[in-house]
Amino acid sequence: MKDYIDLPPIIIERGEGAFLYGADGKRYIDIIGSWWCNLLGHCNPIISNAIKQQLDKLEHIIFANFSHMPAIELAEKLVTILPKGLTKFHFNDCGSASVEVALKMAFQYQGQSGRGYKNRFMCLNGGYHGETIGALSVGSMDKYSACFKPMLFEPIRLEAGDFDATEKIFQKYGKQTAALIIEPILQGASGMKIYSADYLKHLKKLCDKYNVILIADEIATGFGRTGKMFACDHANITPDIMCLSKGLTGGYLPFAITVTTDKIYDAFYADFKDGKAFLHSHTYSGNPLGCVASIAVIDILTKTTVIDTATKNAVWLKKTFEDTFKNHKNVSDIRSIGLINAIELVEDKASGKSFDKSKRIPYNLYKKALEKGLLLRPMGDVLYFNPPLNIEREVLAESVDIVSQILDGK
Ligand SMILES: *Cc1c(COP(=O)(O)O)cnc(C)c1O
């Protein structure tokens, strides 16, 4: 907390596209897309306008036994872009909530589907799924969870990419496991780590074989971030449950959806006396403003060339990262997918020696970048870009240039 004395919060007055403008008149490039949720630029006129129109019609209603056209239209549009078979929608209000819903839904599904409850969960090492107790339990980042360990349940952990070990763990624990939760292809918070589409296919097969519900947390990867509409599309799989948030509204509003299949839905569809309903609601579930923002996002993604342009810029940016950082003495690894590019920093490339943590090198680079007008927020020793999909190439070039300067101590 004492860091805030040296570097007090920066007051931002307005945003436009990839830029933020401080109260002091300074311009910042938001290269991390407002913590990955800003998908199409700040104050995107189309999304802003959709919200303004809705604001004078209906701001919010109870979402139990009531609905509204924006929710219906959003569900209909999502069906057309989601992996085939994802047709049922549970609206909630933030990423962590959508993960809690997924875990509870999977657990209750197993209990109600006639085979008895299964009470374990599986997850991947290096995964991140949010900050609430369930989400934290299936996460693997000690930094956020260590002091809460006594409050958390213990999942079974798999190593992404290790096909054989994963299969053995399924053989051993598959019977008692309700669900496996993963970030498909890209593990964001652990430093933009990427695993193969083949491994994702392998997980899907094992889940089917052992009747384990596959939960794909696409909160960070959805809506074009990895170059496909959803990261699951890289492996052509349909998970049993998918969590959506962040880019869903373009980063405008706290809004999330847990999506599932008819098969799961049917296990909850029963007479009142059977008590099989999924009793989980949040006050702001199905908020109409969030719905219209999301509809606008899907329209932009499907009716304009934004994804094509982002794909072209991604090819260029990947090459630029490689040309600029590959031989840098402090860069041990470069990872790219979509417009997401990350570099892993070390004190010495040759020996692979890490920085002395107490020196807080990444934090100092963050401060240096801010001085130069770049909002870059390192995760551990990883510096990354995760900009809006419609960022311009010149802005990307300027950002690479700033990173290059700060790495060279300029
Ligand atoms: C951000 C994130 C979450 C948590 O979402 P919140 O809205 O911050 O609660 C969960 N999973 C992944 C993969 C995320 O990136």
Side-chain angles (χ1 to χ4, degrees), residues 82-269:
L82 283 164
K84 208 165 180 297
L86 291 169
T87 50
K88 300 291 183 196
F89 301 86
H90 185 285
F91 289 74
N92 29 75
D93 60 7
C94 74
S96 301
S98 79
V99 167
E100 298 292 330
V101 166
L103 298 173
K104 287 172 68 181
M105 192 182 278
F107 181 83
Q108 190 176 342
Y109 165 82
Q110 295 286 12
Q112 288 181 180
S113 59
R115 288 176 291 258
Y117 281 97
K118 296 171 121 199
N119 59 12
R120 299 296 305 271
F121 286 89
M122 288 184 190
C123 62
L124 294 181
N125 280 329
Y128 175 82
H129 301 289
E131 305 291 351
T132 49
I133 298 301
L136 211 51
S137 295
V138 291
S140 303
M141 304 191 60
D142 269 4
K143 187 173 159 194
Y144 305 126
S145 61
C147 79
F148 301 109
K149 277 271 144 69
M151 298 174 72
L152 308 179
F153 62 80
E154 191 50 47
I156 299 151
R157 296 173 195 279
L158 310 172
E159 186 60 36
D162 192 338
F163 287 67
D164 290 343
T166 299
E167 189 149 2
K168 287 207 181 89
I169 293 175
F170 267 85
Q171 279 163 9
K172 191 163 174 202
Y173 295 105
K175 266 211 171 108
Q176 61 196 86
T177 301
L180 161 66
I181 183 164
I182 54 160
E183 290 163 277
I185 305 285
L186 174 76
Q187 297 187 292
S190 65
M192 301 298 174
K193 297 207 171 120
I194 299 163
Y195 62 84
S196 73
D198 279 344
Y199 182 71
L200 180 52
K201 281 187 198 151
H202 186 60
L203 290 176
K204 168 70 179 151
K205 259 191 222 132
L206 290 170
C207 282
D208 287 348
K209 181 168 172 193
Y210 291 93
N211 179 35
V212 170
I213 295 298
L214 178 62
I215 303 169
D217 175 351
E218 292 249 13
I219 293 166
T221 48
F223 303 97
R225 284 287 190 205
T226 66
K228 302 258 185 196
M229 191 62 91
F230 297 97
C232 284
D233 297 337
H234 290 279
N236 277 318
I237 59 145
T238 299
D240 300 291
I241 300 178
M242 189 187 273
C243 300
L244 302 174
S245 190
K246 289 203 169 99
L248 174 61
T249 65
Y252 268 66
L253 288 157
F255 189 73
I257 307 182
T258 309
V259 191
T260 191
T261 60
D262 287 356
K263 181 182 100 174
I264 306 264
Y265 174 87
D266 288 345
F268 295 84
Y269 185 76

